[in-house]
Amino acid sequence: MAHVDRISSLTDDLLHRILSLVDIQEAVQTCILSKRWQRLWADMDSLDLCLPDFKPQSRNIERRFTRFINALLSRRNDSELRVFRLFCEETCFNVSHRSITAWVLYAIRHKAKVIEIDGCLYRSLPRDIFTCASLEDLCLRISGLGGGVVAGGVNLPQLKKLHLGGIISRNRAILRNLLSGCPALEDLSLDVCSIDLRVISSPQLKHLSIFSMLDTARIESIRTPNLVSLSLRLRGDVLRAANLEKMPFLLNAIISVDGGTGFDENCSILAAFPNVRSLELRGNIMKDLLRVELPKCPIFFNLTKLHLSELCRLCHGDLVDCMLAHSPNLEKLQLCKYPWCCQVLNSYQTFTSVTIRLNLQKWPYEFFCIIIKV
């Protein structure tokens, strides 16, 4: 049978999809395959520029990387971009800020919908990125946002997803200015950011995730009435006096606090989740939260899955029973406890899990499965 080149007979869209799955150097090298492939790479709508893809033993890797990207962008066809990703690992931050800024501006001019920048020490974002009308997904893992996040300086009408990682800023209004300029934002993720978190307000937001290891951070108010999922992984007294406004559409919530001294009597967290279906409370001060909030909490009629970390029926039976009384339709209860905190586990030092069945006559079902992890 004669040789048939089936790959070259595929449509341009499929071939561009294939090229997007390999590193950018290999994608460009396909130009030598045949005339069909000579300019195929130049029409790619997805650019994944990754410094670690260059051989680490090569000399002047940053200079080679910069020259390659400059040549790539200058020879690329003047078509719109869908995805622009730039990754420079921590040990290779000698790529000049001027070059990175020029590449970001190229993506903006070509109406990129997704921009992801992992530049570590890079903190010179051009102001144009905060007024890019085409942007739908923005992920920034860099040290700073530059001077573009000012009152009235953010206008991202199409942005639906925003992820910030490692951002450091003393501007107390930075988060407020960002959220006020993103009227369509649905997904917000803040990962190890040193920014002011006191007030988080976004009426249209559906997914919120915050991970912070700063003891000095404080969350005073979260106003997100349309939230569907919430994940707060914090440290210290970040939520000590927090007041979360009602979230009637919230289905899944994870509250995890490492350390801390407790909660104020006027804090309101659980009361904001009247219709939650899955709830996880993690951390050694969750028992303090339950003591403060359960007396004023509503009945969680929709709650079917409950995870309580570092609580057990032996040490905190009153809290567990009270929480169960607030969850009449619960189907799964998971209690996780460290062995040195609970006497019931003293004779079970070698197992990985125990399943206990409890008859609960007050509920319509016969028993719960409670898993105690060690």
Side-chain angles (χ1 to χ4, degrees), residues 136-300:
E136 298 179 2
D137 186 339
L138 179 61
C139 179
L140 301 173
R141 300 185 188 93
I142 54 181
S143 298
L145 297 180
V149 187
V150 295
V154 179
N155 183 21
L156 299 170
Q158 301 297 325
L159 191 69
K160 295 183 178 180
K161 186 175 182 180
L162 175 62
H163 178 100
L164 302 179
I167 304 296
I168 301 174
S169 176
R170 295 181 180 179
N171 179 3
R172 291 189 173 183
I174 187 170
L175 188 58
R176 182 176 72 246
N177 293 338
L178 276 172
L179 295 181
S180 63
C182 304
L185 190 65
E186 297 181 354
D187 193 325
L188 174 63
S189 179
L190 305 175
D191 191 4
V192 197
C193 291
S194 180
I195 61 177
D196 194 327
L197 299 172
R198 286 179 299 173
V199 178
I200 301 173
S201 179
S202 182
Q204 72 288 343
L205 201 64
K206 294 183 179 180
H207 308 279
L208 174 61
S209 175
I210 301 177
F211 174 66
S212 175
M213 298 302 291
L214 296 176
D215 295 338
T216 57
R218 293 292 183 272
I219 294 178
E220 296 177 1
S221 176
I222 297 181
R223 305 164 189 166
T224 51
N226 289 307
L227 210 62
V228 175
S229 67
L230 173 66
S231 176
L232 301 178
R233 302 177 186 272
L234 309 168
R235 182 182 180 87
D237 292 324
V238 180
L239 292 174
R240 183 178 182 87
N243 189 334
L244 277 61
E245 295 189 4
K246 282 286 192 297
M247 304 174 186
F249 304 105
L250 191 74
L251 301 179
N252 304 292
I254 299 175
I255 309 295
S256 176
V257 181
D258 183 15
T261 58
F263 295 87
D264 291 347
E265 293 183 0
N266 295 325
C267 80
S268 177
I269 299 176
L270 300 181
F273 315 149
N275 300 313
V276 67
R277 295 181 182 178
S278 175
L279 177 62
E280 293 188 27
L281 301 178
R282 299 175 178 270
N284 58 353
I285 63 170
M286 285 299 105
K287 56 184 179 294
D288 299 320
L289 178 64
L290 293 177
R291 288 195 179 97
V292 170
E293 283 225 62
L294 280 180
K296 54 186 178 183
C297 266
I299 301 298
F300 300 106

Side-chain angles (χ1 to χ4, degrees), residues 13-48:
D13 289 341
L14 287 175
L15 292 178
H16 288 152
R17 174 58 179 164
I18 293 174
L19 291 178
S20 69
L21 299 176
V22 300
D23 71 64
I24 192 65
Q25 293 182 93
E26 294 175 346
V28 173
Q29 289 170 358
T30 59
C31 66
I32 66 173
L33 295 178
S34 66
K35 290 184 179 180
R36 172 79 167 83
W37 290 81
Q38 280 183 356
R39 297 291 299 170
L40 197 62
W41 64 271
D43 289 323
M44 291 174 57
D45 64 354
S46 177
L47 293 181
D48 201 334

Side-chain angles (χ1 to χ4, degrees), residues 65-131:
F65 180 74
T66 301
R67 288 179 176 176
F68 175 80
I69 301 305
N70 289 337
L72 170 74
L73 299 183
S74 65
R75 289 170 173 78
R76 182 181 175 273
N77 292 340
D78 196 27
S79 56
E80 293 185 1
L81 272 175
R82 181 177 56 86
V83 178
F84 177 85
R85 294 190 180 95
L86 176 63
F87 176 60
C88 301
E89 61 182 1
E90 293 184 6
T91 57
C92 301
F93 50 77
N94 289 329
V95 176
S96 71
H97 288 189
R98 180 179 298 180
S99 294
I100 297 178
T101 299
W103 302 337
V104 174
L105 287 173
Y106 177 91
I108 296 171
R109 288 195 303 270
H110 289 78
K111 300 180 180 180
K113 295 183 178 180
V114 179
I115 293 181
E116 180 177 349
I117 305 173
D118 193 334
C120 303
L121 299 184
Y122 178 64
R123 60 178 65 189
S124 305
L125 276 175
R127 293 175 181 264
D128 296 22
I129 197 171
F130 299 110
T131 57

